[in-house]
Amino acid sequence: MLFSSITFLGFFLPIVIIIYFALPQRVYKNAVLLLASLLFYAWGEPKFVLLMVASILFNYNMGLIIADNKEHSRKILIFSILVNLGLLFIFKYLGFSCKIINYIIGALHLKNLEEINLLLPIGISFYTFQEITYLVDVYKEPYLSQRNVLNLGLYITFFPQLIAGPIVRYHDINQQIEKRRESFENLYIGFQRFILGLSKKVLIANNMAFVCDSIYDADIFSYGTVAAWIAAVSYALQIYYDFSGYSDMAIGLAKIFGFDLLENFNFPYAATSITDFWRRWHISLTNFFRDYVYIPLGGNRKGPKRTVLYRIFVFFLTGLWHGASFNFIIWGLLHGFSMLIERFLKLDKKSKESKIFSAFYRISSLVIIILFWVLFRNGTKQTIKLYLKMFGINYSRFFTFHPVVSTALYWFNVDVKFYIILATAVLFAFPWWKKIKLSTNQAIQTVAALLKSLALVTLLCLCFSFLANNTYNPFIYFRF
Amino acid sequence: MKKIVHYSFVSLVFLAILFPIAKFNKKGTVSQKENRTLAEKPDSPFKFSGYDAYFQDRFGGRNRLVAIANFIDYSVFHKQIKNSRAFKGKNDWFYYIDSKDGNNLNDFYKKNLLTKAELESFRNSVRETAQWCKDNDIKYLFVIGPNKHSVYPENYMEERPEGITRADQMISVFKELGAPCVFPRDFLILQKDKNEAPLYYETDTHWNNLGAYYAFVKIQEELAKLFPNTDFPKIDYDFSVDYSESAGDILPMLGIKTAKSTQVTATPKNGTFSDYFEYVKDEGREGVITNGKKENLPKAIVFRDSFCSALTPYFSTQFSSVEYNWRRMTDDDKKHILGNKVDLIVFEAVERYSLGIAGM
């Protein structure tokens, strides 16, 4: 089930909220959230609910064994992680691995393996990582082990973050499962955050997606340089507003039920460098790889060569996590290498020394990030052609700006509305308003709160109306 | 004061998300506005995707919300109005593009050309149908109503891709098998420049009375070949043109109430249609039967879709009786045809559904 669907907004959410707040005790409230989460998941993937339940039971038992068996806990931890990763591998990477093996076998003129095309259970990348954080946290601090299987089930399946994160680490939330406080203030903050995220998704990301998909899905010969850039910028904004919108919705929904989830985005396109970008983009994933892969491997404690190796490995994994495809791996590696270049050329230091260089490097980093998104979106085969098109290089029969004017404006729906939304999207991708200091005057603050509330209710109605109209509503991070 | 703002906000949001359930449209089965059947409740509680469609179609406030979305696009942004079912083309012409309903877009972009195997399958079904008619000594005629955007591509997009369409492929099959057929696309394109009034409704999927008349002219030519010894009535028509605001069958899909639409009325120059035929039964989809005033004319049965509605008055003048059935021919129909000594069977379908014209 999508948050940005009528089923969720108009049926699932109000019913769950009513039942949740009608129940008196924590144990019943948690049970309702668990059941609702299972239904939420089953709505998209009924048959994979059993897989998820089996995975929860396995990790619940492994957690208990790790906590109660200090002597062999390390071996059991490694075994459990391997089982979890094995499951992820089977569903997400087995087909891809077969393709690579067949490619090698083909080159050696041997008989190919049979192709494997398994359906990917939604959210498996997210919940597998959450299960790993649980096992590692219990290994480090055995008293954290969850004795109540329903509570662990709720941690793993909690619907606000189940299918697209943020990846919630167990030690960040374990206490909240049993001891949290629902309040009217939480409802107020939660609804505000949820509507903000929904608006980012429905009003901005969907409109960016429509134009971007229209251009990329068209024959590459039918558009020119400007359209190629419009598509690239639209995609960069789409993926940001789509994913950060989803994270906002998750954080807002969790808040409604009294949970505090950590932030997942911090204005990534305002980053001063690519290194800074990764401090601001999908923070929960970056933190996961830092804390559960990079540091356990040795981090930067084992000399510069190892540091380089580990960083590249982490970005290889980051790319691979996004999907079993070469473009994701190359995308991850490109980010990793870019960060290493920044480090060795000490660009961070140079940026601090010169404002002009800082501005130049900020813009360059943003352009590089946008170019990397083109690879992420379009796969390895199409990307080179798109890069050539974006830089106006004639790789085939024509070079022209002309088709952009005559065709793109009409057929790619690039119109006034798009430009207004594009401008809004660019504007709100940067935290300029945080510098505005509101008066401490009580009356002004009340008026500001009133205006903000009215704006959000209007946005909610707009989202409802666009969803009612069946407008374009894809979701990128579902497939990860 | 701040608390009042907070309470009001939460209450308003909660009311907004409760509204879809509170005003849920449980009973209705057809959307009059959109001229379509609403999704029904799935027969199993586990058919979740069915529930998505059920909720999406029937939640409280849906029609108003669709109208708001389109008002914003249309009136505020003057945007090209478009959703998954329809869009506004140039010069205030509206087009139907629902990919789940025949897929006009594929016809337009020529993305649905038949493969060799599909052509062979189509050829076989035409051959089978034709053979059955021949075996029973019944004349037959295939009529394909061109999609609106096949006749008016200039309002649909800037340029239609070059090359043949799926309908062209099918016409080749008819010709190859010697099966009589009418596909008046090119004739209508010729005629549209000769007339001030359009041949299709601006706000509707269908041809209007003028477009249907030109299609009928081509049908008459075929009838003369099929029944060389029959003296079909030759009727001249007067056409009066009127401009009004109309929703057609497309605008409700976009949540727009009305837009300018040209209405063409046809009247026989000598008298009225009722001088030539009368309706024995006129129940639209449930069936239409007409009786002509001359008993020596042939008897026809038509397997039709909505494009036949505007053809009905013209066509009915030419026969002693016509039975219009809103379906493809079934085995029961065959028995009925043989029992009633029908002289002509007409298989009519709009271009986007024409692959099934011979029962495929």
Side-chain angles (χ1 to χ4, degrees):
Chain A
M1 197 185 298
L2 276 173
F3 290 163
S4 54
S5 68
I6 296 295
T7 308
F8 180 82
L9 290 171
F11 297 88
F12 183 89
L13 183 60
I15 291 169
V16 171
I17 289 177
I18 289 171
I19 298 174
Y20 180 85
F21 283 98
L23 291 170
Q25 287 176 22
R26 173 71 51 228
V27 62
Y28 298 133
K29 285 179 189 285
N30 283 354
V32 164
L33 285 183
L34 177 62
L35 286 174
S37 300
L38 291 172
L39 175 66
F40 178 85
Y41 189 78
W43 205 268
E45 297 283 358
K47 58 186 170 187
F48 288 131
V49 170
L50 292 176
L51 178 78
M52 193 167 68
V53 170
S55 174
I56 291 167
L57 291 175
F58 171 78
N59 286 292
Y60 169 71
N61 286 305
M62 288 297 115
L64 292 182
I65 296 170
I66 289 168
D68 298 340
N69 196 335
K70 281 184 186 169
E71 211 178 311
H72 302 293
S73 61
R74 189 178 166 81
K75 284 178 191 165
I76 300 163
L77 173 72
I78 292 169
F79 166 75
S80 324
I81 290 175
L82 286 176
V83 170
N84 279 303
L85 291 178
L87 204 64
L88 183 64
F89 176 82
I90 288 169
F91 283 102
K92 197 165 175 178
Y93 303 106
L94 189 61
F96 180 57
S97 305
C98 275
K99 270 187 197 165
I100 296 173
I101 293 168
N102 277 341
Y103 184 74
I104 297 164
I105 289 175
L108 299 171
H109 304 290
L110 296 170
K111 198 184 170 192
N112 277 6
L113 298 174
E114 205 169 305
E115 267 193 36
I116 297 168
N117 289 310
L118 291 175
L119 208 62
L120 183 69
I122 292 175
I124 191 168
S125 308
F126 289 97
Y127 74 71
T128 301
F129 276 25
Q130 294 211 162
E131 287 166 339
I132 290 173
T133 75
Y134 168 68
L135 294 170
V136 174
D137 288 353
V138 170
Y139 168 73
K140 284 181 183 168
E141 293 168 80
Y143 69 90
L144 286 176
S145 70
Q146 183 53 260
R147 303 279 150 177
N148 183 336
V149 69
L150 298 182
N151 284 350
L152 184 70
L154 177 59
Y155 159 67
I156 290 165
T157 64
F158 187 41
F159 73 84
Q161 41 77 207
L162 173 61
I163 49 180
I167 299 163
V168 179
R169 291 180 297 182
Y170 183 67
H171 62 256
D172 288 331
I173 205 170
N174 70 317
Q175 290 195 336
Q176 296 178 39
I177 294 171
E178 286 175 88
K179 289 173 195 163
R180 62 181 184 275
R181 198 176 66 86
E182 294 85 1
S183 67
F184 189 81
E185 204 53 29
N186 278 350
L187 271 176
Y188 174 70
I189 297 167
F191 273 134
Q192 281 204 334
R193 189 69 185 267
F194 178 77
I195 295 170
L196 186 73
L198 183 70
S199 308
K200 281 163 104 174
K201 161 74 186 141
V202 175
L203 303 180
I204 297 181
N206 285 359
N207 279 294
M208 292 295 117
F210 187 78
V211 170
C212 165
D213 291 352
S214 305
I215 296 174
Y216 282 144
D217 291 348
D219 176 7
I220 194 166
F221 291 109
S222 68
Y223 57 86
T225 301
V226 177
W229 274 101
I230 286 176
V233 172
S234 303
Y235 185 70
L237 290 167
Q238 180 203 348
I239 195 165
Y240 167 59
Y241 280 99
D242 196 287
F243 195 20
S244 76
Y246 200 95
S247 293
D248 286 339
M249 286 188 267
I251 291 166
L253 285 170
K255 192 78 182 171
I256 289 170
F257 300 110
F259 287 90
D260 286 313
L261 302 187
L262 295 179
E263 293 296 333
N264 208 20
F265 287 88
N266 181 23
F267 300 97
Y269 295 144
T272 52
S273 62
I274 291 171
T275 309
D276 191 31
F277 172 79
W278 280 99
R279 286 186 206 113
R280 295 159 175 266
W281 179 271
H282 203 169
I283 298 167
S284 63
L285 182 71
T286 312
N287 288 351
F288 177 89
F289 280 123
R290 184 195 63 204
D291 296 345
Y292 295 91
V293 180
Y294 182 67
I295 292 174
L297 278 174
N300 48 11
R301 301 186 306 270
K302 294 193 175 176
K305 279 185 188 171
R306 287 280 182 100
T307 303
V308 169
L309 199 68
Y310 296 153
R311 285 197 173 208
I312 293 298
F313 179 62
V314 162
F315 274 90
F316 165 78
L317 290 182
T318 304
L320 191 64
W321 179 87
H322 283 85
S325 173
F326 284 113
N327 63 316
F328 294 127
I329 295 170
I330 297 169
W331 172 82
L333 289 173
L334 282 171
H335 272 281
F337 282 118
S338 304
M339 285 169 64
L340 286 174
I341 292 167
E342 279 178 352
R343 189 181 153 98
F344 287 116
L345 296 179
K346 295 180 179 163
L347 296 177
D348 206 22
K349 202 179 160 192
K350 282 182 190 167
S351 288
K352 280 177 190 162
E353 286 165 1
S354 159
K355 278 191 174 177
I356 296 171
F357 182 81
S358 168
F360 168 77
Y361 193 61
R362 221 173 234 250
I363 295 166
S364 308
S365 301
L366 191 54
V367 173
I368 289 167
I369 288 162
I370 291 171
L371 289 173
F372 288 171
W373 281 133
V374 175
L375 169 71
F376 186 93
R377 162 67 173 74
N378 295 289
T380 44
K381 280 182 189 168
Q382 193 76 347
T383 300
I384 298 294
K385 285 182 189 173
L386 282 166
Y387 284 161
L388 292 173
K389 179 138 277 193
M390 287 170 82
F391 291 99
I393 297 165
N394 181 7
Y395 65 91
S396 94
R397 58 191 159 95
F398 66 85
F399 160 73
T400 178
F401 281 131
H402 174 70
V404 176
V405 180
S406 64
T407 314
L409 291 182
Y410 188 76
W411 275 106
F412 299 146
N413 240 17
V414 179
D415 51 22
V416 181
K417 184 184 174 188
F418 170 76
Y419 286 120
I420 291 171
I421 294 171
L422 180 74
T424 312
V426 171
L427 204 64
F428 284 97
F430 300 92
W432 50 270
W433 70 88
K434 292 206 165 177
K435 288 176 187 163
I436 301 170
K437 284 186 181 158
L438 202 63
S439 162
T440 49
N441 183 304
Q442 195 68 29
I444 292 175
Q445 284 200 347
T446 307
V447 171
L450 181 69
L451 290 175
K452 190 179 174 187
S453 297
L454 283 174
L456 285 167
V457 171
T458 311
L459 286 175
L460 179 64
C461 293
L462 282 178
C463 291
F464 255 118
S465 67
F466 284 104
L467 291 173
N469 198 28
N470 269 332
T471 38
Y472 202 58
N473 192 15
F475 181 59
I476 297 176
Y477 263 73
F478 238 35
R479 61 189 163 114
F480 304 141
Chain B
M1 187 63 186
K2 220 174 171 181
K3 270 204 165 174
I4 295 172
V5 172
H6 290 193
Y7 274 107
S8 310
F9 171 75
V10 172
S11 310
L12 273 175
V13 171
F14 208 69
L15 278 177
I17 59 174
L18 270 180
F19 198 79
I21 307 177
K23 291 278 175 184
F24 190 71
N25 172 17
K26 226 174 177 179
K27 287 178 184 167
T29 53
V30 175
S31 164
Q32 297 296 342
K33 277 194 161 188
E34 293 179 69
N35 189 26
R36 70 184 177 90
T37 309
L38 297 173
E40 289 295 331
K41 191 176 176 180
D43 46 18
S44 154
F46 299 106
K47 285 186 181 167
F48 297 132
S49 58
Y51 275 99
D52 274 333
Y54 179 62
F55 292 150
Q56 177 79 31
D57 261 10
R58 293 163 178 270
F59 73 93
R62 181 184 176 276
N63 289 341
R64 184 146 296 180
L65 288 165
V66 170
I68 290 171
N70 288 301
F71 172 79
I72 292 166
D73 279 348
Y74 189 40
S75 304
V76 179
F77 290 114
H78 301 289
K79 186 177 156 55
Q80 181 205 353
I81 301 172
K82 186 172 182 176
N83 63 21
S84 59
R85 305 195 67 210
F87 84 97
K88 179 174 173 270
K90 287 186 256 173
N91 301 319
D92 289 343
W93 276 63
F94 293 82
Y95 290 88
Y96 183 55
I97 53 165
D98 194 339
S99 62
K100 292 174 195 155
D101 187 15
N103 206 338
N104 279 323
L105 279 174
N106 278 345
D107 275 331
F108 187 84
Y109 289 115
K110 301 176 178 175
K111 283 182 177 173
N112 56 0
L113 292 181
L114 300 173
T115 60
K116 268 189 181 177
E118 286 167 337
L119 265 174
E120 190 50 37
S121 173
F122 179 68
R123 190 177 285 116
N124 286 340
S125 64
V126 172
R127 197 180 280 137
E128 249 175 57
T129 305
Q131 195 57 49
W132 184 85
C133 293
K134 275 178 198 163
D135 291 348
N136 294 290
D137 197 22
I138 301 169
K139 310 278 185 204
Y140 62 94
L141 175 65
F142 291 101
V143 178
I144 297 178
N147 291 333
K148 180 178 181 177
H149 55 254
S150 294
V151 179
Y152 286 94
E154 64 274 23
N155 291 326
Y156 190 75
M157 68 175 292
E158 289 171 356
E159 222 174 286
R160 192 176 188 190
E162 297 274 328
I164 61 161
T165 64
R166 188 175 69 174
D168 291 323
Q169 287 182 299
M170 290 158 58
I171 297 300
S172 306
V173 171
F174 289 132
K175 286 185 179 163
E176 172 198 322
L177 297 176
C181 67
V182 171
F183 178 48
R185 179 194 57 201
D186 298 340
F187 185 60
L188 291 178
I189 290 172
L190 271 177
Q191 295 304 322
K192 73 177 183 185
D193 294 331
K194 295 180 185 168
N195 286 276
E196 262 184 53
L199 309 183
Y200 281 67
Y201 294 102
E202 291 95 331
T203 58
D204 197 285
T205 327
H206 302 92
W207 50 27
N208 58 22
N209 292 331
L210 190 59
Y213 169 74
Y214 285 120
F216 173 67
V217 168
K218 299 308 279 181
I219 291 172
Q220 265 185 315
E221 287 174 11
E222 288 301 317
L223 290 178
K225 288 181 209 163
L226 289 169
F227 300 93
N229 301 322
T230 303
D231 186 17
F232 286 108
K234 288 189 177 51
I235 307 164
D236 290 325
Y237 292 93
D238 277 327
F239 294 97
S240 63
V241 180
D242 190 22
Y243 300 95
S244 63
E245 289 285 314
S246 161
D249 64 354
I250 301 177
L251 265 55
M253 296 171 199
L254 296 165
I256 301 168
K257 281 186 180 163
T258 58
K260 194 198 102 180
S261 176
T262 312
Q263 310 291 330
V264 181
T265 312
T267 331
K269 274 190 176 161
N270 299 316
T272 61
F273 277 113
S274 55
D275 295 330
Y276 296 92
F277 73 93
E278 61 182 9
Y279 286 100
V280 177
K281 181 184 175 188
D282 184 10
E283 291 171 9
R285 275 180 177 272
E286 301 307 314
V288 176
I289 299 172
T290 61
N291 273 353
K293 301 277 164 127
K294 288 184 180 175
E295 285 187 0
N296 58 342
L297 290 171
K299 208 172 172 185
I301 188 162
V302 181
F303 295 96
R304 59 165 290 199
D305 60 17
S306 60
F307 264 64
C308 193
S309 298
L311 270 178
T312 303
Y314 306 114
F315 194 78
S316 300
T317 59
Q318 306 294 302
F319 296 90
S320 61
S321 84
V322 190
E323 191 179 322
Y324 298 90
N325 294 302
W326 202 306
R327 60 172 180 266
R328 297 294 116 211
M329 187 168 72
T330 63
D331 286 341
D332 283 345
D333 290 324
K334 285 180 182 173
K335 284 179 206 161
H336 172 72
I337 288 165
L338 295 177
N340 283 276
K341 293 182 180 170
V342 171
D343 302 297
L344 172 74
I345 306 174
V346 176
F347 302 93
E348 180 276 328
V350 65
E351 188 180 347
R352 69 174 197 274
Y353 273 125
S354 53
L355 194 58
I357 197 166
M360 265 181 83

